[in-house]
Amino acid sequence: MYRIETEGWLKHYDFILLDILCLHIAFVLAYAASGQGWNPYEHMLYRNMAIFLTLADLLVIFSMDTLKGVLKRSMYAEFIFTSRHMAVLMAFSLLYLFVLQQGSAYSRMVLFLNFVFYAVLTWMLRLLWKNRLVKKRGCT
């Protein structure tokens, strides 16, 4: 009879999981595009970076409230939010590499391609997922 709406960040757990999935797909694609192979997780530096990126992505999602009003945003607004999210995540990554003094060992091409791929994949997947949810909500 009554339906309890989920509040807070749990309301968009699907978008959070899709963002993390896009981040790791972009990470592997960037590593492969740099010509180093298909498994960045076999190198300790890249494995640590993947763990850091996952945690930093969650931190950025929650601290910047990236997913607030995600279903109501236009395509352009979603691009702006995704770009802002990606820029903050990239700044955290650069800071991480700088603090650990691993910037010279980590491929800059992988770093920048990762964020280009991540921005495009996340933006497109968010738009597709929102479209699916809106259609599903309209049918029921």
Side-chain angles (χ1 to χ4, degrees), residues 22-39:
C22 285
L23 180 66
H24 284 276
I25 290 171
F27 186 67
V28 171
L29 288 176
Y31 189 79
S34 71
Q36 298 185 35
W38 283 96
N39 188 6

Side-chain angles (χ1 to χ4, degrees), residues 47-114:
R47 189 177 325 130
N48 289 343
M49 185 62 155
I51 293 168
F52 173 78
L53 284 172
T54 303
L55 296 174
D57 190 37
L58 291 171
L59 178 72
V60 171
I61 286 171
F62 296 135
S63 65
M64 290 181 56
D65 215 9
T66 304
L67 298 175
K68 184 176 183 179
V70 69
L71 294 174
K72 299 173 187 172
R73 290 187 211 141
S74 68
M75 186 185 312
Y76 176 72
E78 191 62 50
F79 179 75
I80 297 299
F81 271 83
T82 304
S83 299
R84 190 177 310 148
H85 177 92
M86 185 268 318
V88 172
L89 190 59
M90 186 171 181
F92 276 144
S93 299
L94 290 171
L95 182 65
Y96 171 78
L97 290 172
F98 177 76
V99 168
L100 293 182
Q101 297 179 352
Q102 295 294 320
S104 60
Y106 196 86
S107 172
R108 284 168 280 187
M109 185 176 187
V110 171
L111 183 70
F112 292 112
L113 282 177
N114 183 25

